[in-house]
Amino acid sequence: MTSDRAVSMTLSERFDHAYRVMSAPSFLGMEGLGNEVPYFILPHPPADQPRVSGERQRLVNKLRTSGIAVCGIDLWSLASQLWRGTGVWEQMLAAEASLPKATFGEAVGNVVSPGAHLSPCIASAVAEQEPRPQVVLLSNVGRLFPVVRAHTILNTLQPLLSDIPLVLIFPGSFRQSPTQGSSLVLFDRLTDDDYYRAFDLLGLEVS
């Protein structure tokens, strides 16, 4: 569970803390993780979402100014590219009102399926960036709900991308239990009981 101090952090304080952790050699070197994948959650109160884009860009700029290569990926933008790439996206949108909600959701969901499409695209974006990124920063996952869920992205990315620290900016809470594992609570309302092999970035300290 995130500490009381972390829970009371402002959005700017959360991103300032993220910078201190992410710029540390021990973080970039993936030290102290045991056999776990180097995946981290940067949670924030859902009410702060309108200001997250600015804080995210400030974080990326600070890391790059410090000489750290960052691959920043907006998941909503990436999904939108996949939808437009079908060549029939406008027709799908036009037909939305006449289709059952489940049918439309399945159609758009298939195009951005994490296992088949979205996660491979993330891995490709990282592989194609030069110089090779030292850290990956994912954002805007909340906009994809319920078509795509955060835990599915993380799970399907593991076999594709596990040799670089990855940070997921998450609108909600990251809850950890020694008996039940960890779970992401989207918008602080929607709890998913899946196990997450990830660390709470706000719970890490720079040595």
Side-chain angles (χ1 to χ4, degrees), residues 100-112:
K101 186 175 181 179
T103 300
F104 181 78
E106 182 179 3
V108 298
N110 287 340
V111 176
V112 294

Side-chain angles (χ1 to χ4, degrees), residues 70-154:
V70 182
C71 182
I73 298 176
D74 182 319
L75 295 170
W76 174 257
S77 294
L78 182 58
S80 297
Q81 291 174 22
L82 290 171
W83 284 321
R84 289 194 299 269
T86 62
V88 294
W89 179 234
E90 296 301 327
Q91 294 93 313
M92 291 174 65
L93 289 179
E96 178 181 5
S98 62
L99 292 174
K101 186 175 181 179
T103 300
F104 181 78
E106 182 179 3
V108 298
N110 287 340
V111 176
V112 294
S113 166
H117 303 293
L118 192 63
S119 289
C121 283
I122 294 171
S124 293
V126 174
E128 292 169 2
Q129 180 169 313
E130 294 292 343
R132 180 167 173 76
Q134 294 168 272
V135 62
V136 178
L137 186 64
L138 303 182
S139 61
N140 252 338
V141 68
R143 292 191 66 181
L144 291 177
F145 181 85
V147 175
V148 175
R149 296 172 183 264
H151 81 274
T152 309
I153 297 174
L154 296 180

Side-chain angles (χ1 to χ4, degrees), residues 5-38:
R5 181 182 66 83
V7 169
S8 65
M9 284 179 173
T10 66
L11 186 67
S12 293
E13 289 171 341
R14 289 168 184 259
F15 278 81
D16 286 342
H17 180 85
Y19 169 74
R20 289 191 294 272
V21 172
M22 294 169 67
S23 59
S26 57
F27 177 87
L28 297 173
M30 299 175 287
E31 298 175 7
L33 300 181
N35 294 321
E36 296 296 336
V37 291

Side-chain angles (χ1 to χ4, degrees), residues 121-203:
C121 283
I122 294 171
S124 293
V126 174
E128 292 169 2
Q129 180 169 313
E130 294 292 343
R132 180 167 173 76
Q134 294 168 272
V135 62
V136 178
L137 186 64
L138 303 182
S139 61
N140 252 338
V141 68
R143 292 191 66 181
L144 291 177
F145 181 85
V147 175
V148 175
R149 296 172 183 264
H151 81 274
T152 309
I153 297 174
L154 296 180
N155 286 339
T156 53
L157 268 178
Q158 287 178 21
L160 305 174
L161 186 65
S162 61
D163 60 343
I164 303 175
L166 180 147
V167 176
L168 174 69
I169 300 173
F170 185 76
S173 304
F174 183 44
R175 298 178 180 172
Q176 297 171 297
S177 166
T179 57
Q180 298 179 351
S182 305
S183 61
L184 293 168
V185 186
L186 185 65
F187 309 135
D188 284 340
R189 294 185 178 185
L190 305 167
T191 303
D192 194 327
D193 292 328
D194 284 292
Y195 170 72
Y196 297 88
R197 296 179 61 189
F199 299 90
D200 182 359
L201 196 73
L202 297 181

